[in-house]
Amino acid sequence: MSNGTAGNPEPTPRNDAVRLLARREYSRAELKERLAARGHEPAAIAACLDALAEQGLQSDARFAESFLRSRVARGQGPLKIRGELARRGVDRDTARAAFAELEQGGELDWFALAADALARRFSTPGDTPRERARRERFLAGRGFDSEQLRHALDHAWDDA
């Protein structure tokens, strides 16, 4: 813990928040939780978070976009990502805007992502209903919907 001596600023909500934001983007709710865990007063946290947002140092929209890109790179589907964003305190409109930006920019094809994730994990579609069900559970667990799942099962090994 910092004690305000040489080189260590006082542990204010702003200093703690900036230190966290220097490592990665955080949602407002995540920062609020972390600052509260460090013993800062709720009123001071709220004022700090408002100031950080005004200065552009914290943005739920930027967090949502960064989070979405990182999860897509991991091969996760839209259902799982939306759920994670909600758990991290990002509202539906902000999440929807992040998805729309990536989808409209042509950077994101959920069907191709599902097929790619499936082909990387399994070398064949499976010969038995049990093996096929295993592949379906894999994709469902990754957060792909039933339409994306069916497409992936039909096209994951087209190039192989």
Side-chain angles (χ1 to χ4, degrees), residues 68-150:
L68 175 58
R69 286 179 188 279
S70 75
R71 292 313 193 259
V72 165
R74 292 183 187 181
Q76 293 181 356
L79 301 176
K80 186 170 187 168
I81 297 170
R82 276 192 185 92
E84 275 295 312
L85 284 170
R87 275 190 286 287
R88 291 168 186 262
V90 175
D91 66 71
R92 278 189 179 154
D93 291 338
T94 303
R96 192 176 296 122
F99 274 82
E101 188 174 320
L102 240 56
E103 290 166 351
Q104 290 171 358
E107 299 177 54
L108 189 54
D109 178 352
W110 294 113
F111 294 93
L113 184 63
D116 184 56
L118 188 62
R120 278 188 278 141
R121 177 69 171 88
F122 298 98
S123 58
T124 67
D127 297 329
T128 66
R130 184 177 181 166
E131 289 174 353
R132 194 165 170 91
R134 185 169 173 230
R135 283 146 181 80
E136 289 174 4
R137 282 192 308 276
F138 168 76
L139 287 173
R142 284 286 180 101
F144 292 100
D145 67 26
S146 59
E147 207 176 309
Q148 294 156 351
L149 190 144
R150 279 193 300 280

